Amino acid sequence: MVPKIRRGSRTYGLLAYLYGPGKRDEHTDAHLVGSWDGFAPDPGRDPDATLTRLTAALDLRVKQAGTKAPAQHVWHCSVRTDPGDRHLTDAEWNSVALRLVHAVNLVPAGDPDGCRWVAVRHADDHIHILATMVRGDLRRPRMNYDFKKAQAECRRIEKEMGLRKLKPGDGTGAKTPTSAERFKAERTGRSETSRETLREAIRQAIAGAVTEEEFFTRLREEGLRVKLRHAPSGDAIGYNVALPGDRNRDREPVWFAGSTLAPDLSLPKIRRRLAEGTTDEAMRPATASGRPDWSPQARGRRIATGIAERAATLLDSDADEAAAQLVGIGELLDAVTQTSPAATRAELGAAARSFERATRSHTRAEHADTRAIRSAARGIIQAGSALGRGEDGGTTAMLLSTLVLVTLAAVRWHSARGHAQQAEASRQTAEHLRAAYRQAATAPMQALRDEGRALSETERRTYETAISAVLPASGLRADAETNTYALAATLAQAEQVGHDPKALLQEAIAMRELDTADDVNDVLVWRIRRLAHLPAHSGDAARRPQAGTGRTKPALNRTGTRTAPPTATRPAAPDPGNRPPRR
């Protein structure tokens, strides 16, 4: 049950709207379900009642108070049930209205001088409460924190009436689009309102930005109109953005200040985030970070995976400093969304939008270093769009597998602090990421399974025995026979480059918890491939033995002694026309 509160000065105008047809004929059978004394004239059901009579009755005390009455004397609260809830009766809606006017102190229980009010119903799923804020003793009611009080009362009503229980808010959420903004988007054929489009564009422009100038340049490059607000000293103190072509009735651009789009998008808060900076060290590839022929996109995703793992560890520590890591993960999601293949972009975009809510809470990180995670986001953006195949596709799946577990760690972190909306947003993010992961991992995981099946029966049994020994000892189990093939193939490749398969498997399990993993084996495959610096895509053309090289698979190390793979005979220079495409 969602209350929405506004204030105004025109009692008659609001009543005319409530009893009218609505903006698109959505109002039907408008009538009163409650009033201050139960005898207010009802223009919807009483042919002798008029809007003028009802207005005069509601405004009686406002007229008597004269200049002492507040200029914004109309209190308007719409209350809507969830689409999945049952339809309440008129008597139940009357009970809801009575409880809300008591809760916000318009009509204190047992007080004969409470304010006058009516509740109008013109649809099955909601009512509108209109009250005039002058008491019978001609004083103003004390209505501090009326929205929070209405929210708290709605949570109690949901429980008692068996309605869907919504998550309590904490005032850190972004402002939702108004009805007028939604109707305008529908009229102009847009899938979302200008407010939502601008908020997402600003969020993506911040991801990995180093300077304020770079941030504003990115906004302009996206085609947005940007207007800076300056102090008398000439310093910029704020900014406004508008979509091209989005104009009001006076044909002027519809500007939105960053602070009105979301609490963390004001210029001072963006400056604070940019001041944390990025570090080139985080993006400098180490010698062991991969092959020189891997693309910048693949390398950036592999580096980001390791940084995301560290962010998850901080979230597991339950420290307040992890709040900054959540902001960094939000930037990383925005960066991956902007550069992802088309097949996964929709789910990743939905994940980034959901996680935006999880990045804001009243918990503040006093001493937090987010340079590494912001640098990872910057590196991904600078590398450009990734392919959905080969090493690019494999490292995308590797990163998404880790981000699923990071967002589940965020669920626990928020839940421990009572952040219900943020925890729910993190859960939704995890579901979108799981869907994106399934799309990204299909090809690389199938290639690994095929390679696992191609192992000799003796080799495969050796690795399956190691898997069966290590997983139960860690309280885990293999999830599916087909996935065991991929894990066996990964262990075989790791042994070929000199790793002890059993020790490597134990190291991957010990990195952090696996209880929340949808598929334990998939997670272990990606961890092992990153730890052993194996290609993320087993079918990468750069990794396959080429015909005529005389290259053979090295014998497995049965003694536990690490052995280097045999050196392959160098082939003759290939025909340039037959070279694989550069990635």
Side-chain angles (χ1 to χ4, degrees):
M1 182 172 285
V2 181
K4 190 172 184 179
I5 296 174
R6 310 173 190 83
R7 301 197 181 193
S9 59
R10 298 179 61 245
T11 307
Y12 184 90
L14 179 54
L15 287 173
Y17 167 73
L18 298 180
Y19 277 95
K23 294 184 178 180
R24 298 183 299 174
D25 297 325
E26 70 272 21
H27 296 176
T28 58
D29 188 23
H31 61 281
L32 292 184
V33 294
S35 66
W36 71 93
D37 61 359
F39 297 101
D42 183 1
R45 294 286 175 86
D46 183 353
D48 296 326
T50 63
L51 292 178
T52 302
R53 279 184 58 198
L54 182 55
T55 301
L58 285 166
D59 280 347
L60 174 64
R61 293 167 176 172
V62 177
K63 302 294 185 185
Q64 291 173 341
T67 57
K68 294 183 180 180
Q72 298 282 94
H73 67 271
V74 176
W75 186 85
H76 175 208
C77 177
S78 60
V79 192
R80 187 180 301 272
T81 54
D82 186 76
D85 285 333
R86 63 183 177 85
H87 292 159
L88 304 185
T89 65
D90 283 357
E92 287 175 316
W93 276 121
N94 177 49
S95 174
V96 170
L98 280 168
R99 292 180 62 165
L100 286 174
V101 295
H102 289 328
V104 301
N105 207 42
L106 277 166
V107 185
D111 186 351
D113 288 328
C115 298
R116 294 192 168 192
W117 63 275
V118 293
V120 179
R121 181 179 190 179
H122 54 212
D124 290 331
D125 63 348
H126 70 278
I127 61 170
H128 294 261
I129 304 171
L130 185 161
T132 48
M133 294 187 291
V134 177
R135 291 167 41 83
D137 54 15
L138 303 187
R139 293 185 296 135
R140 299 182 185 184
R142 294 182 178 180
M143 298 183 63
N144 296 333
Y145 308 107
D146 55 341
F147 178 72
K148 288 187 177 180
K149 292 175 181 176
Q151 285 272 15
E153 189 62 27
C154 282
R155 301 294 82 78
R156 289 187 283 268
I157 293 171
E158 290 163 355
K159 183 177 181 180
E160 295 173 19
M161 290 191 170
L163 305 176
R164 180 191 172 193
K165 298 177 183 177
L166 301 185
K167 308 298 181 183
D170 60 3
T172 61
K175 185 177 179 181
T176 57
T178 65
S179 298
E181 290 171 351
R182 289 195 297 269
F183 295 152
K184 183 178 181 180
E186 292 178 12
R187 289 196 311 271
T188 55
R190 292 200 305 266
S191 60
E192 59 184 8
T193 65
S194 299
R195 178 186 301 277
E196 293 167 313
T197 301
L198 291 169
R199 184 162 58 230
E200 183 170 358
I202 293 172
R203 203 179 64 239
Q204 292 185 349
I206 298 172
V210 174
T211 65
E212 192 174 318
E213 291 73 21
E214 181 183 1
F215 163 64
F216 286 121
T217 298
R218 287 184 181 183
L219 288 180
R220 293 187 177 98
E221 287 176 348
E222 287 299 311
L224 303 186
R225 305 186 66 171
V226 181
K227 179 172 64 176
L228 298 181
R229 301 194 305 274
H230 295 88
S233 63
D235 296 330
I237 58 174
Y239 70 99
N240 295 68
V241 288
L243 284 179
D246 185 20
R247 299 182 179 274
N248 58 22
R249 66 181 64 184
D250 299 322
R251 307 303 301 164
E252 297 174 344
V254 180
W255 295 99
F256 291 85
S259 57
T260 64
L261 293 173
D264 57 341
L265 297 185
S266 67
L267 187 55
K269 291 187 178 179
I270 289 176
R271 282 173 172 164
R272 193 175 306 137
R273 194 189 304 188
L274 295 177
E276 296 175 359
T278 61
T279 172
D280 292 336
E281 189 69 28
M283 290 311 300
R284 187 177 299 144
T287 304
S289 63
R291 298 165 57 98
D293 55 342
W294 287 348
S295 68
Q297 292 88 340
R299 192 180 301 277
R301 280 158 169 73
R302 188 177 285 264
I303 293 172
T305 301
I307 294 172
E309 283 274 9
R310 293 197 289 273
T313 302
L314 285 173
L315 287 167
D316 287 339
S317 71
D318 202 34
D320 285 350
E321 277 64 32
Q325 299 301 313
L326 294 172
V327 177
I329 290 297
E331 288 197 29
L332 192 57
L333 278 172
D334 284 321
V336 176
T337 299
Q338 294 177 66
T339 60
S340 66
T344 56
R345 194 170 299 157
E347 288 292 353
L348 286 173
R353 286 189 291 273
S354 293
F355 200 72
E356 178 201 20
R357 184 68 187 92
T359 62
R360 292 191 300 271
S361 70
H362 289 301
T363 303
R364 293 288 178 266
E366 298 298 332
H367 306 286
D369 187 353
T370 59
R371 288 176 297 172
I373 197 167
R374 296 198 73 244
S375 293
R378 180 175 180 79
I380 286 175
I381 289 175
Q382 288 184 327
S385 297
L387 299 173
R389 61 185 184 275
E391 190 66 16
D392 286 9
T395 50
T396 296
M398 177 187 289
L399 177 57
L400 295 184
S401 174
T402 299
L403 286 176
V404 170
L405 297 183
V406 174
T407 53
L408 292 174
V411 173
R412 294 191 296 273
W413 189 87
H414 279 304
S415 297
R417 287 160 173 76
H419 302 163
Q421 289 191 355
Q422 292 88 336
E424 180 60 27
S426 300
R427 288 189 191 93
Q428 293 174 4
T429 303
E431 291 307 309
H432 289 301
L433 287 174
R434 280 178 170 136
Y437 168 76
R438 286 191 289 269
Q439 294 171 328
T442 298
M445 290 303 295
Q446 186 58 52
L448 283 172
R449 290 175 190 135
D450 290 344
E451 188 163 332
R453 291 188 185 93
L455 293 172
S456 68
E457 185 176 353
T458 302
E459 292 172 333
R460 188 167 62 250
R461 283 182 179 176
T462 299
Y463 293 118
E464 288 174 351
T465 299
I467 294 169
S468 300
V470 174
L471 290 185
S474 306
L476 303 168
R477 63 178 179 82
D479 290 300
E481 182 182 357
T482 54
N483 285 346
T484 305
Y485 288 135
L487 187 52
T490 296
L491 292 174
Q493 293 172 18
E495 189 170 27
Q496 286 179 19
V497 296
H499 290 279
D500 180 347
K502 189 172 181 180
L504 193 61
L505 182 58
Q506 290 171 332
E507 182 182 354
I509 291 172
M511 286 177 66
R512 62 182 310 274
E513 63 85 23
L514 288 163
D515 295 336
T516 54
D518 256 7
D519 192 311
V520 169
N521 298 325
D522 273 27
V523 176
L524 291 176
V525 163
W526 297 122
R527 287 184 183 176
I528 292 171
R529 301 194 79 79
R530 189 171 65 82
L531 289 171
H533 307 294
L534 298 173
H537 194 285
S538 176
D540 191 350
R543 196 185 160 277
R544 291 176 183 166
Q546 297 182 16
T549 64
R551 184 173 182 176
T552 59
K553 182 188 294 186
L556 294 175
N557 183 349
R558 302 301 181 196
T559 66
T561 304
R562 297 187 179 185
T563 58
T567 304
T569 303
R570 181 179 296 276
D575 182 355
N578 293 330
R579 288 177 182 169
R582 292 179 60 86
R583 292 194 175 121

